[in-house]
Each structure stands twice: as structure tokens, then as C-alpha cells.
Amino acid sequence: MPDSKATTNRDKATSKRRNQILEAAVMCFLEKGYHQTGVRDIAARAGISLGNLYNHFPGKHDVLVEIAQLERKEVGPFLEMLMKPSPAPKVLDGFIGAYAKYLSAPENVILSLEITSEAIRQPDIARLFLDTRENLIATLVTLVERGIAEGDFRSVPNANQVSHLIIEILESSAERSVFSNTPMRKIVGSVRDFVSAALQPQ
């Protein structure tokens, strides 16, 4: 019978090395961009041989796929936030503040742009990116529809489109925060006011 302890230790070591490679890749992508980064750059940054990297990932594209999958996990807490049973306006306000803060971290803005630009060229990256986004939008739609049903939000022609606009406003505001070197705290208040006015019951 196989030694389960040895197997567990081997799995942990593999997971640790994969994470080490992913962290190195993220740093390389942030500093040089995806297309300017080679697998040798990632291996050097991770402090491993090129052969060792290939033992875990067939190539740079596969590294980006896993990074995109990790982004999906990072959205998890925001989905939970949107599903809270508190009054819809309170839930939405809390979500806007927390998600804006997350999006506006410079590393998240840069990495998001790198993933998005590659998603245009690579269908599997696009699918991962869209799945994550669609899951977030669907959860936000549920919140907006609940707010309408409870009389906290005005009736809108299309809750899906409204939810897309809310996310797009947050994303573009996060990019502006980084590009203009303006703290997100100075922007998010206007985003809150805009969304609140748009959904305010008539």
C-alpha cells in the first residue's frame, strides 16, 4: 500500500512549488507585462530551474490560466457579501465600498488589464474571465431584483444591464484611481451617490 503520509507531504510540496511559480509569474507580469515575460523570467524569479517549472506548467499560457482561476476564488467573498439578507441598499453600499477597494489595488488593476488583453486572443482565458464576471453579475442581479421586490429600489427595465453598469463603473473608477494617482476613497463616494440615485424609488 502507498504511504499516505509521504503522498500528503509530496502533494503539499507540489502545491507550495506551484504557488511559488504563480507568485513569481504575477510579479513578472506586473513588472514587464505578459508578452514581455518569458518562462525563463518566471523560473528565475521563482528561484527554480526551467525544467522544474515545466514539471508543473507546460508553458506560460497555462500559468496565466491558473492565475485567472485564482481570480475566481478571490471573488468568492464578494458573492457572499451580496447574498447577505440585510436590506438591499445596505448590502449594495457595503459591496461597492469593498469591491472598489479590492479593484483599485494597483496590482489588481494591472493584472486585470493583462488578463483581459490576453482573453481577447485566447478563448479559454476569455471563458474563465467571463465565467467569473457572469457569476458576480448574476449574484448582483439577484440583489437588485430583491431590492425592487421589497420596495427599496425602483423598478428598472433590465436588472442584468443595471448590474453590468454597476460593475463597469467600479472597474473604470478603479483604473482611473490608479492611472491618475487618486485615492479610491476620493472617488467611491461619487460612485455610491450615482448608483443610489439610479436605483432610488420614485
Side-chain angles (χ1 to χ4, degrees):
M1 293 182 64
D3 188 335
S4 59
K5 184 176 181 180
T7 301
T8 300
N9 288 338
R10 185 165 58 250
D11 290 343
K12 287 181 178 178
T14 298
S15 178
K16 182 178 180 181
R17 180 54 54 84
R18 286 177 69 88
N19 288 336
Q20 182 182 348
I21 294 169
L22 291 171
E23 289 173 6
V26 167
M27 294 306 299
C28 288
F29 295 162
L30 291 175
E31 292 173 1
K32 302 175 66 174
Y34 176 78
H35 285 286
Q36 285 69 42
T37 295
V39 286
R40 291 184 183 278
D41 297 316
I42 298 172
R45 187 66 179 253
I48 62 173
S49 68
L50 192 58
N52 201 330
L53 186 149
Y54 282 128
N55 285 336
H56 297 277
F57 296 98
K60 184 176 68 169
H61 176 79
D62 303 275
V63 174
L64 188 63
V65 167
E66 185 133 347
I67 290 172
Q69 291 172 334
L70 290 174
E71 184 186 35
R72 180 184 300 180
K73 293 181 181 178
E74 291 185 352
V75 170
F78 299 108
L79 300 180
E80 294 176 6
M81 186 178 296
L82 288 169
M83 291 186 286
K84 287 182 177 179
S86 304
K90 181 179 180 181
V91 173
L92 182 57
D93 186 74
F95 166 76
I96 287 173
Y99 197 53
K101 182 178 180 181
Y102 164 78
L103 288 175
S104 63
E107 62 273 20
N108 288 339
V109 169
I110 297 170
L111 193 57
S112 177
L113 291 173
E114 290 289 338
I115 293 175
T116 302
S117 64
E118 192 59 19
I120 296 172
R121 306 178 184 89
Q122 302 290 344
D124 55 341
I125 297 292
R127 189 68 260 161
L128 286 169
F129 180 80
L130 290 173
D131 283 349
T132 300
R133 188 185 184 85
E134 286 169 5
N135 199 9
L136 182 63
I137 294 292
T139 310
L140 183 52
V141 167
T142 300
L143 176 68
V144 171
E145 290 178 339
R146 177 166 73 83
I148 293 171
E150 293 172 353
D152 292 320
F153 295 149
R154 73 177 181 88
S155 180
V156 295
N158 190 318
N160 184 273
Q161 290 298 321
V162 168
S163 298
H164 271 281
L165 287 170
I166 291 172
I167 297 301
E168 287 164 5
I169 290 169
L170 285 168
E171 289 172 342
S172 60
S173 295
E175 291 176 8
R176 178 161 65 91
S177 170
V178 172
F179 295 154
S180 66
N181 198 28
T182 304
M184 191 62 183
R185 67 178 182 275
K186 293 186 176 181
I187 299 174
V188 72
S190 296
V191 175
R192 281 191 168 110
D193 289 344
F194 183 83
V195 173
S196 177
L199 290 172
Q200 189 172 3
Q202 295 177 337

